Amino acid sequence: MTKPNLDKIKEIAGGTASFEQEMISIIKEELPGEIEQYQFHLEQNNFKQTAESVHKLKHKISILNMEEAYATAAAYENELRAENPTSAPAFKKIIDELNAFVKKL
């Protein structure tokens, strides 16, 4: 599985360090809350809200250049909408990896 990295952010920033730092700051600020919302909705068995949380998290997964994880998240989002979240354990690993990576930033 692709590990999170800043390659895509660096590419988007095009060498502008201040823009790169701004994007990293936004991720560091938003990600913990988005994960918390995801976990809350999951615990409540609210599939619709959990799917919406996964949808938001997909953007962070994408910007942190985790292509395989993005595909897993997209499938998981669809499973949640069908009320059959079989990819929950795989998505938990992705969340754990994102958390660990962002804490190091």
Side-chain angles (χ1 to χ4, degrees), residues 41-59:
H41 294 305
L42 183 64
E43 288 167 10
Q44 302 297 313
N45 286 323
N46 185 331
F47 294 116
K48 183 176 187 271
Q49 292 291 351
T50 305
E52 288 178 21
S53 293
V54 171
H55 183 78
K56 285 182 184 177
L57 286 163
K58 282 191 331 190
H59 297 292

Side-chain angles (χ1 to χ4, degrees), residues 49-91:
Q49 292 291 351
T50 305
E52 288 178 21
S53 293
V54 171
H55 183 78
K56 285 182 184 177
L57 286 163
K58 282 191 331 190
H59 297 292
K60 301 294 185 300
I61 291 167
S62 175
I63 202 77
L64 291 173
N65 208 26
M66 298 174 70
E67 292 176 18
E68 294 168 34
Y70 186 88
T72 300
Y76 182 46
E77 181 183 356
N78 290 332
E79 291 170 7
L80 284 161
R81 294 190 191 284
E83 299 187 6
N84 184 26
T86 57
S87 296
F91 193 73

